[in-house]
Amino acid sequence: MNSTDSTDTPLLISDEDGIRTMTLNRPAARNAVNLALATAIDAAVTELDERDDLVVGIIAANGPTFSAGMDLKAFLRGERPVTPGRGFAGLVEAPPRTPLIAAVDGPAVAGGFEIVLACDLIVAAENAFFALPEVKRGLVAAGGGLLRLPGRLPYHLAMELALTGKQISAADAANLGLINQVVEPGTALQAAKALAAEIAVCGPLAVATTKQILQDSPSWTAEEAFSRQSDLCDPVRSSVDAVEGARAFTEKRSPVWTGR
C-alpha cells in the first residue's frame, strides 16, 4: 500500500526494503489527530503486523510540527480520535508487535508526545521538543504519557513535566536517555530510515519476538522469566527463517527471510 502526497490523505504510507514509513499529513492543523488520522494509523499498523515482508515501521510527519496532539476543534464537535482496541491515534493502547521508530522534527506535544512514547526508538531533530501540557487545559494526559513516562525518566522529573506541562528539549531528552539520536533539523526521517535499515536486515520473527520479550519481561517474576522467554523463543528457533539464517551464515551470503 502506498499513498500519494495529498493533504486530503491524513496519513501517507510508503513501503520499501522491509520498512513502512507512515507520515502524519495534516500540516495545516499541526498534525493534530482527528478520527480520520487515528483510523488510518490503526489500519496501517495492523497491516504492518500482518505483512511478512515488513520488519520495522517509522512514524514521521509533514510540516514544522510533528504533532500537537488531539485535534481540539474536532473534540469540541464531539469527535474522539480513538479506535477500538488501540485507543488514541489508533496506536497508544496497543502498539504493533513490529518495532516502531519515531522520526521527530519539531514539537511533539500532548498526544503527539504520547505517540512518540508509544514507539520503541526515537530519533529527534535539534529543534524538537516534548511536553505533556494537558493539565494547563484542564485535561489529563490519558494517551499513555502518564503510564510510560515514569519508566523512561527519573520519577521526580517525570512528575515535574506532567504536573507543570513544561517542555523538554531534544538535547535534554537525549542526555536523560529518553531518545536515541539527536540530528540536524530536517534530517530526522533520514536518520530514522538508516536506523530502520539496520533492523530490517534482521529476521522478522526474531525482531518481533525480541521486542516482545524486552517489552513484557519487566512484569515477569524471576521464577517464570526463563520459561516464558522459552515459550516465545522456541517457535522462532524452529522456524524456516532460523534455518535460513544459519545456512546463510555458513554460505557467507545475505539471508532471504520469509517470515516463517
Side-chain angles (χ1 to χ4, degrees), residues 88 92-93 114-115 140-146 148:
F88 172 72
V92 300
E93 291 183 20
E114 292 175 311
I115 291 172
V140 176
L146 301 183
R148 292 187 168 104

Side-chain angles (χ1 to χ4, degrees), residues 39-129:
T39 301
I41 293 173
D42 187 326
V45 297
T46 297
E47 187 184 45
L48 175 64
D49 274 346
E50 294 171 348
R51 293 265 297 272
D52 292 337
D53 60 320
L54 297 175
V55 185
V56 59
I58 297 172
I59 296 184
N62 277 339
T65 300
F66 177 81
S67 177
M70 181 173 64
D71 188 327
L72 294 181
K73 292 182 180 178
F75 173 79
L76 292 174
R77 295 195 299 267
E79 186 177 294
R80 300 295 181 269
V82 301
T83 63
R86 292 202 190 271
F88 172 72
L91 175 68
V92 300
E93 291 183 20
R97 297 186 307 276
T98 307
L100 278 182
I101 302 174
V104 186
D105 261 305
V109 300
F113 189 15
E114 292 175 311
I115 291 172
V116 171
L117 289 171
C119 295
D120 304 294
L121 299 162
I122 305 168
V123 175
E126 294 168 350
N127 63 335
F129 63 82

Side-chain angles (χ1 to χ4, degrees), residues 4-227:
T4 57
D5 188 358
S6 167
T7 54
D8 295 329
T9 306
L11 185 72
L12 305 178
I13 301 169
S14 175
D15 300 332
E16 185 177 8
D17 297 329
I19 302 167
R20 164 159 288 191
T21 302
M22 297 162 282
T23 304
L24 311 182
N25 190 43
R26 303 189 71 223
R30 297 190 298 159
N31 292 312
V33 182
N34 61 4
L35 182 57
L37 179 54
T39 301
I41 293 173
D42 187 326
V45 297
T46 297
E47 187 184 45
L48 175 64
D49 274 346
E50 294 171 348
R51 293 265 297 272
D52 292 337
D53 60 320
L54 297 175
V55 185
V56 59
I58 297 172
I59 296 184
N62 277 339
T65 300
F66 177 81
S67 177
M70 181 173 64
D71 188 327
L72 294 181
K73 292 182 180 178
F75 173 79
L76 292 174
R77 295 195 299 267
E79 186 177 294
R80 300 295 181 269
V82 301
T83 63
R86 292 202 190 271
F88 172 72
L91 175 68
V92 300
E93 291 183 20
R97 297 186 307 276
T98 307
L100 278 182
I101 302 174
V104 186
D105 261 305
V109 300
F113 189 15
E114 292 175 311
I115 291 172
V116 171
L117 289 171
C119 295
D120 304 294
L121 299 162
I122 305 168
V123 175
E126 294 168 350
N127 63 335
F129 63 82
F130 309 90
L132 294 175
E134 280 85 347
V135 290
K136 294 183 176 182
R137 302 166 186 161
L139 297 171
V140 176
L146 301 183
L147 300 176
R148 292 187 168 104
L149 201 60
R152 314 286 177 83
L153 292 175
Y155 173 85
H156 295 101
L157 178 56
M159 189 67 75
E160 180 181 354
L161 293 176
L163 292 180
T164 66
K166 286 182 179 178
Q167 299 174 4
I168 182 171
S169 69
D172 287 343
N175 288 336
L176 291 163
L178 181 62
I179 64 178
N180 297 83
Q181 296 178 28
V182 179
V183 297
E184 294 182 2
T187 67
L189 179 55
Q190 177 183 349
K193 286 184 175 181
L195 183 57
E198 295 184 53
I199 299 171
V201 297
C202 302
L205 295 177
V207 166
T209 300
T210 296
K211 170 182 171 173
Q212 185 175 356
I213 293 170
L214 285 170
Q215 186 171 263
D216 295 350
S217 59
S219 65
W220 299 345
T221 66
E223 292 75 19
E224 68 182 350
F226 276 94
S227 64

